[in-house]
Amino acid sequence: LRLNNVETLNLASFKNHHGMYGIEVVGAIFLAHFLRLNSSLKYLNFKRNDVEKDGAKALAQSLLGNPQCGLVTVNTMGPMKKGSKPG
């Protein structure tokens, strides 16, 4: 991430696994610091993690505050396909 050469980052935990190997608030805040300056990342997935409200807020602020952010998809949610209806 720091070198701007990663396009896909999949940090989703295993389905039905709630062990000690997930991203929590501190991990999300740490990741947010790298995302603040990243311009290469296109796809980010951190589903099924315990980022909680503060971690999600840190991630959102870092991405929104990065004018070079090139993200297309976050947690498999991306731009709407032509002809699809929202919601």
Side-chain angles (χ1 to χ4, degrees):
L1 284 176
R2 188 174 64 166
L3 299 176
N4 276 323
N5 59 4
V6 174
E7 287 190 6
T8 302
L9 185 58
N10 185 2
L11 300 171
S13 64
F14 298 106
K15 191 173 187 173
N16 298 325
H17 182 267
H18 301 288
M20 53 190 274
Y21 297 108
I23 298 173
E24 294 180 351
V25 177
V26 174
I29 293 171
F30 186 77
L31 176 60
H33 288 290
F34 285 100
L35 295 177
R36 185 175 295 137
L37 301 173
N38 183 276
S39 60
S40 66
L41 195 62
K42 304 286 182 229
Y43 307 97
L44 172 63
N45 187 1
F46 58 94
K47 282 183 174 181
R48 296 185 297 272
N49 281 286
D50 255 350
V51 298
E52 297 182 16
K53 183 176 82 174
D54 290 335
K57 183 178 177 180
L59 288 168
Q61 287 176 336
S62 70
L63 295 173
L64 291 172
N66 178 355
Q68 297 176 339
C69 179
L71 273 174
V72 176
T73 304
V74 176
N75 287 353
T76 66
M77 294 182 290
M80 288 180 44
K81 293 179 181 161
K82 210 173 195 177
S84 64
K85 296 179 182 176

